[in-house]
């Protein structure tokens, strides 16, 4: 199987622009564009009735106040929740967007995307298949090909099988000796890792093996510059304007 190609920007806004607007919301996507991000990263999970939606946590508690699992809550109930008030009164009334709504916003804003498959436990393949089905159906032709990433190798394997043409990146908090075996097993073309734990030796090994290397979540300008000097291709940040100014 030939691997898909991947072209990354130097910077991606994390969960939109999470330093400035509630993560994984349409406001955050708009703020990322306003602050100069060419791409955004966000998380996609499934509601109880299989609607793909933007949510990082397996439970709704932290960003909406409803102490309930995403996987046990219907989309009708989720879409009524306030996903912005936790960050301040200015964002009260911000909703949890569906993945379809997010794609429409990306099309209007001209933003590329790193779509993180963020499944509830036991739904790895299910969420992956739902994500790739919607991308195949709705992804705008004028935008760059999206990158799929996940901490769950089973989700990436399901994405590979369902849509081998979409590029994939393994998400690993700290690279261990098995990182390349894991990447090869899901036919990944990229490695996304914790920039605070990345060593120069590991960065060099990833690049020497031919992978695109992205780091998260980098909000310190000096660290961003150091990582770029190591050969990192893309910096994922909550504050795209600050990091863009640092790395040029």
């Amino acid at each position: 199987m030939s691997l898909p190609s991947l072209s990354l920007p130097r910077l991606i806004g994390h969960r939109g622009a999470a330093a400035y607007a509630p993560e994984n919301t349409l406001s955050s996507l708009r703020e990322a564009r306003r602050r100069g991000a060419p791409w955004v990263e966000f998380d996609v999970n499934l509601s109880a009735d299989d609607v793909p939606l933007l949510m990082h946590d397996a439970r709704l508690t932290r960003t909406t106040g409803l102490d309930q699992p995403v996987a046990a809550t219907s989309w009708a109930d989720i879409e009524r929740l306030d996903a912005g008030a936790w960050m301040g009164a200015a964002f009260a009334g911000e909703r949890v967007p569906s993945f379809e709504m997010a794609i429409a916003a990306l099309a209007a804003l001209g933003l590329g995307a790193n779509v993180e498959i963020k499944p509830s436990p036991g739904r790895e393949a299910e969420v992956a298949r739902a994500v790739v089905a919607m991308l195949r159906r709705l992804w705008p032709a004028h935008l760059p090909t999206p990158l799929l990433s996940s901490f769950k190798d089973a989700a990436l394997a399901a994405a590979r099988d369902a849509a081998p043409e979409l590029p994939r990146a393994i998400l690993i908090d700290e690279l261990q000796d098995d990182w390349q075996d894991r990447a090869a097993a899901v036919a990944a073309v990229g490695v996304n890792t914790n920039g605070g734990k990345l060593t120069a030796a590991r960065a060099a090994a990833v690049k020497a093996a031919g992978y695109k290397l992205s780091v998260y979540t980098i909000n310190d300008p000096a660290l961003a510059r150091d990582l770029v000097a190591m050969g990192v291709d893309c910096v994922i940040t909550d504050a795209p304007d600050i990091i863009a100014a640092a790395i040029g």
Side-chain angles (χ1 to χ4, degrees):
M1 177 173 58
S2 61
L3 296 179
S5 62
L6 172 61
S7 180
L8 283 176
R10 285 169 60 80
L11 177 146
I12 292 177
H14 183 240
R15 304 181 197 173
Y20 306 112
E23 64 180 64
N24 286 321
T25 64
L26 299 184
S27 285
S28 199
L29 302 184
R30 290 191 290 268
E31 191 65 19
R33 168 45 87 196
R34 194 174 77 81
R35 292 180 183 267
W39 282 38
V40 287
E41 179 269 355
F42 52 79
D43 308 282
V44 179
N45 200 349
L46 284 180
S47 65
D49 47 347
D50 299 329
V51 175
L53 56 94
L54 272 57
M55 182 63 57
H56 176 273
D57 299 356
R59 299 185 70 84
L60 294 156
T61 318
R62 180 173 60 87
T63 57
T64 73
L66 179 64
D67 189 15
Q68 195 160 298
V70 176
T73 310
S74 71
W75 170 242
D77 288 338
I78 291 173
E79 69 175 341
R80 289 197 290 264
L81 299 174
D82 188 323
W86 68 272
M87 196 169 179
F91 298 105
E94 187 75 27
R95 301 302 179 195
V96 177
S98 68
F99 188 28
E100 184 170 357
M101 293 164 61
I103 292 173
L106 297 177
L109 294 165
L111 284 170
N114 173 179
V115 180
E116 182 177 343
I117 303 167
K118 198 79 175 184
S120 297
R123 303 191 82 189
E124 291 81 7
E126 193 177 354
V127 177
R129 287 192 290 265
V131 166
V132 300
M134 187 158 284
L135 287 172
R136 277 181 155 176
R137 183 165 60 89
L138 296 177
W139 189 253
H142 70 280
L143 294 181
T145 303
L147 172 65
L148 300 176
S149 65
S150 187
F151 284 101
K152 302 298 184 181
D153 294 4
L156 290 176
R160 173 203 61 205
D161 294 345
E165 76 279 5
L166 293 176
R168 295 163 298 283
I170 54 168
L171 263 167
I172 302 177
D173 178 55
E174 185 171 6
L175 298 182
Q176 305 296 333
D177 291 343
D178 66 345
W179 72 266
Q180 192 167 357
D181 290 338
R182 290 179 59 187
V186 297
V189 295
V191 174
N192 293 11
T193 192
N194 185 332
K197 298 179 180 180
L198 182 64
T199 65
R202 289 290 191 194
V206 171
K207 294 304 300 172
Y211 291 89
K212 296 289 188 180
L213 178 58
S214 301
V215 288
Y216 64 86
T217 305
I218 309 302
N219 299 322
D220 176 75
L223 178 56
R225 286 191 291 268
D226 288 346
L227 289 161
V228 170
M230 285 184 197
V232 163
D233 296 296
C234 178
V235 178
I236 301 171
T237 177
D238 295 322
D241 51 347
I242 292 172
I243 299 304
I247 65 175

